Amino acid sequence: MSETPEGSKIAEIIINTTAKRLQQTFSYIVPDHLDVRIGSRVLVPFGHRREEGIVVALREHLDEAPAFELKPIEGLLSTQTGFQEEMIRTALWIRDYYVCNLSDALRLFMIDKKGLIRGAVLSLGPTAPQGPRQTQLQAYVAERGEVEKGTLGRKFGDAAVEQALKDKVLISHISYRNRIKDKMEDWLSFAADDNEDILHGRRRQQALLAALKEKGEAPVSYWQKEGFSRDLMRRLCATGLARWSQRPTRTANILPSMQGDAPLTLTAEQEKAVKVIGSDETSKTYVLHGVTGSGKTEVYMHLAAQVLERGKQVVVLVPEIALTGQIVRRFLRRFDDDVVVMHSQLSQGEKRNNWLRMQSGTSHICIGARSAVFTAAQSLGLIIVDEAHDSSYKQDEAPRYHAVAVARKRAEYYGCPVILGSATPALGDYYRALHGDYVLVELKERVGKRPLPSVQVVDMRDELARGNYRVVSDALLDLLQATLVAKQQAIVLLNRRGFSTFVMCRKCGYVVKCDTCDVAMVYHRQAEKMRCHYCDAEKPIPTVCPSCGSKYIKFFGSGTEKVEAQLHELLPTARIVRLDQDTTRRKHSGDRIIEAFRRHEYDILLGTQMVAKGHDFPGVSAVGILSADSLLNLPAYWAGERTFQLLTQAAGRAGRGDVPGRVVLQTYAPDHYAIQCAARQDYKAFYDQEIEARRELGYPPFQEMAKILVTDEDETAVWRKANDVAAALHSWNKEHGEAVAVIGPYEDIIKKIRGKYRLVLTLTGDDLTAVKLAMQHLPACWQSGVIIDADPL
Ligand code: ADP
Ligand code: ZN
Ligand code: ZN
């Protein structure tokens, strides 16, 4: 046993690895010469290796003598991409709330997850430099944190570097470096104006200083466009009045922004919304409930402009960049240089540059899908979540976080408001706006007082009785024909892709199923394959029954491919384009299809729920919804809510231009309130009914819910594991006054996916905090294949 050196601080470190057994923190001594802070990424000796660690806490001394000798931290890794203290706090919260590993939670904030390579680097040692050469060398290293030996040798000479190492002005260690070289651009910023007089008689420099004083800072390329030469800028810097610096470049955007666009004059409702949210003082969450076409984006942009005025930053979350290019373009057009767009198709280097721009405060607006909620920031002034009800904000792999909850957590730290914008707010959010600590802000009218579309509900049972066996009802066919004649556009929604949804032998009833999942395979005509929608496995199309050899193979059900074929037959002159997972596999193809449709290169846009994602197509006056019930029959408490949201959003695409919208909604359950309310686009009526049902049944938001999924390739093992989990939870429950209800295990909706059997347990209770913390330590819950999902959607 040994004492820590007198006066040394102790750092609590987690090792950056996914190994579950390394989830606890480890203590290390902080050497005096290292500027270690909470969030620093450090190099530590670990067993026989060196590992990357993340500092999650610092202490002045140990509370008790350690069981073994503490080792010192060996070096700091790139200080640029360390964690901010707020990130550590949020990650700790994510760990506890979503029951995951701390390192997994922290990794959500890391930009260069895979960008690290091992190598020898030099960083500052404990000894002061001797002589001007070593002072220069030290300054060079100090500025960069750590430098490759070779690089340093080329700059200062190998001998000088060896001497500095010998003198302990520098120390050498193995480090993880970023694989990526940052692309930098030159910036010029205002520095001081106290000795302006020295510019006496130098008119151009005076003009530049005045412009700088006004703007503060801008890329050198900007000043060149303003007519100032680089040479002039350098000379001004030499006086100390301006500063030259290098910052990460902005990534070229996949979505080209067009010319600048000026703010619109707000409608009275929009103005009121901007006023309420803009005067937020208590960092509240605002549910911005605006009917489709009410101009929510304009409200976002006005509020963002106000935040920028105060020098703070804004995060804008959208469901999916490729499908919501329009809002991104609008932000780019208005704020141009100040916007970085985070999307999955960026290279690692581009992501890093964007991240660093936000971290350094060079850019002020970050737009992206779910994961952009983890962006670095100097100081956040606003987080906007557009289409906040969208299920893509929930991550369905560990850590299973919800971006809205993370946004709220981060906003709490920064003291800034969060906006949850939607025409169909998530039920829980709306409930909290009415009864809890959220604030409701409404936009009840469409811009220009355009009417909401009129909706005709078609009962498909009548259609069958009349002898129409097509997927498209007569009413919808009439509407589409009229729309084409009027040279307007239409959207047709069908929530099933492929051609036929299952293939069955008429003689023996055999259904073509996936070999590893317990589901029927879908016939894809274009690909000429049977395809599993759960694991993407493919099979050839059977010509005879694989089971009895009969030739009576029949194709049942219709997906988007089949409807496309039917529409081509029914409307031979129509230009039809399909938008679903199959047509958007290639990069940017989703955005390309959407933009081509917007330019009226097509008359009908047919597709899955992708067609309903907040698009603003002024040319669309008609919408057809082919099967309103596809989600309704799912055995999940949110089935009604999802149905209402999808139908209302789809209908809301119609009539956003000058021609009033018309919608045909086909269903087998015309009396269901989710369908009735969607037909009237009456959110409040739906909410009132649905919230009562939830209250009676004790579903969220009245009770918290967590889902535990247990998987295993062996059917006996999966039951044994799930029963272990259940037993552990029951015994915890007994000791804690039966605080939660444990239901299950029972078979999941789909019994088997990718060869693994699936069982489910659900937990409900007024407050699951305690049981979730307990689960972190229940061995049964950490068995392989046990997946915990707080807030299941
Ligand atoms: P939402 O997101 O609420 O469905 P959008 O933000 O897409 O609605 O706005 C619908 C349309 O109205 C857009 O074409 C937008 O440019 C236009 N718009 C929004 N606000 C105004 C305004 N104040 N004056 C004129 N047009 C507006
Ligand atoms: Zn058969
Ligand atoms: Zn499968």
Side-chain angles (χ1 to χ4, degrees), residues 264-267 270 290-300 330 386-387 423 443 447-448 450 614-616 618 653 656:
L264 301 171
T265 311
L266 296 179
T267 64
Q270 285 173 326
V291 297
T292 51
S294 57
K296 290 182 284 293
T297 310
E298 198 59 36
V299 172
Y300 302 153
R330 276 155 83 177
D386 189 36
E387 310 291 350
L443 301 174
V447 172
R450 283 174 196 128
H615 313 294
D616 185 38
R653 297 314 109 205
R656 296 161 76 96

Side-chain angles (χ1 to χ4, degrees), residues 505-510 545 547-550:
C505 166
R506 287 238 247 182
K507 200 160 166 224
C508 74
Y510 174 89
C545 172
S547 170
C548 74
S550 100

Side-chain angles (χ1 to χ4, degrees), residues 308-372:
L308 265 50
E309 286 276 298
R310 301 202 307 271
K312 297 203 170 184
Q313 292 165 299
V314 182
V315 173
V316 184
L317 301 183
V318 296
E320 214 172 322
I321 290 279
L323 298 175
T324 46
Q326 196 58 14
I327 175 170
V328 179
R329 279 191 190 83
R330 276 155 83 177
F331 267 87
L332 280 172
R333 255 181 262 160
R334 192 157 306 169
F335 299 102
D336 189 40
D337 242 5
D338 237 355
V339 182
V340 296
V341 184
M342 289 293 207
H343 52 88
S344 56
Q345 275 138 24
L346 292 178
S347 72
Q348 196 61 29
E350 290 171 326
K351 274 185 195 163
R352 200 182 133 90
N353 270 26
N354 282 350
W355 193 93
L356 290 172
R357 283 178 74 91
M358 282 302 284
Q359 189 206 36
S360 60
T362 311
S363 290
H364 288 88
I365 300 177
C366 175
I367 305 187
R370 180 177 66 225
S371 62

Side-chain angles (χ1 to χ4, degrees), residues 39-93:
S40 293
R41 289 166 70 184
V42 295
L43 197 73
V44 291
F46 193 80
H48 300 297
R49 289 165 298 147
R50 288 190 174 85
E51 291 280 356
E52 179 190 349
I54 298 157
V55 178
V56 294
L58 284 170
R59 287 188 283 156
E60 289 307 322
H61 48 76
L62 283 177
D63 297 335
E64 51 189 280
F68 44 83
E69 191 177 348
L70 292 189
K71 293 181 180 154
I73 291 174
E74 290 191 356
L76 268 174
L77 295 179
S78 166
T79 43
Q80 267 185 326
T81 55
F83 295 86
Q84 291 151 334
E85 191 170 344
E86 174 269 325
M87 294 173 170
I88 303 278
R89 281 214 224 178
T90 305
L92 285 165
W93 173 82

Side-chain angles (χ1 to χ4, degrees), residues 248-481:
T249 55
R250 192 170 72 126
T251 304
N253 279 299
I254 38 160
L255 307 171
S257 73
M258 285 167 271
Q259 68 286 16
D261 117 316
L264 301 171
T265 311
L266 296 179
T267 64
E269 276 191 333
Q270 285 173 326
E271 198 168 315
K272 195 169 157 223
V274 168
K275 207 162 157 205
V276 172
I277 304 171
S279 53
D280 172 273
E281 279 178 350
T282 46
S283 52
K284 285 208 151 53
T285 297
Y286 294 84
V287 172
L288 179 61
H289 178 211
V291 297
T292 51
S294 57
K296 290 182 284 293
T297 310
E298 198 59 36
V299 172
Y300 302 153
M301 291 196 291
H302 273 254
L303 286 164
Q306 290 181 2
V307 173
L308 265 50
E309 286 276 298
R310 301 202 307 271
K312 297 203 170 184
Q313 292 165 299
V314 182
V315 173
V316 184
L317 301 183
V318 296
E320 214 172 322
I321 290 279
L323 298 175
T324 46
Q326 196 58 14
I327 175 170
V328 179
R329 279 191 190 83
R330 276 155 83 177
F331 267 87
L332 280 172
R333 255 181 262 160
R334 192 157 306 169
F335 299 102
D336 189 40
D337 242 5
D338 237 355
V339 182
V340 296
V341 184
M342 289 293 207
H343 52 88
S344 56
Q345 275 138 24
L346 292 178
S347 72
Q348 196 61 29
E350 290 171 326
K351 274 185 195 163
R352 200 182 133 90
N353 270 26
N354 282 350
W355 193 93
L356 290 172
R357 283 178 74 91
M358 282 302 284
Q359 189 206 36
S360 60
T362 311
S363 290
H364 288 88
I365 300 177
C366 175
I367 305 187
R370 180 177 66 225
S371 62
V373 76
F374 296 104
T375 184
Q378 277 276 307
S379 178
L380 289 182
L382 176 65
I383 304 179
I384 297 164
V385 187
D386 189 36
E387 310 291 350
H389 63 276
D390 198 282
S391 56
S392 71
Y393 288 122
K394 179 72 199 288
Q395 168 147 304
D396 57 11
E397 58 191 61
R400 293 178 163 69
Y401 69 89
H402 197 296
V404 169
V406 176
R408 279 175 40 77
K409 202 68 204 166
R410 298 196 75 185
E412 183 186 303
Y413 178 91
Y414 284 105
C416 77
V418 175
I419 303 177
L420 307 179
S422 176
T424 53
L427 220 72
D429 291 338
Y430 198 80
Y431 177 81
R432 285 182 281 274
L434 294 184
H435 304 284
D437 51 356
Y438 295 10
V439 179
L440 182 64
V441 178
E442 291 179 291
L443 301 174
K444 292 183 174 165
E445 282 182 353
R446 283 188 158 186
V447 172
K449 300 233 179 338
R450 283 174 196 128
L452 282 169
S454 60
V455 180
Q456 180 186 354
V457 176
V458 172
D459 187 337
M460 289 307 275
R461 292 167 303 187
D462 297 346
E463 209 74 9
L464 275 179
R466 284 217 323 270
N468 175 10
Y469 297 103
R470 285 189 321 256
V471 191
V472 179
S473 63
D474 291 340
L476 178 56
L477 186 56
D478 287 348
L479 174 61
L480 292 176
Q481 270 160 347

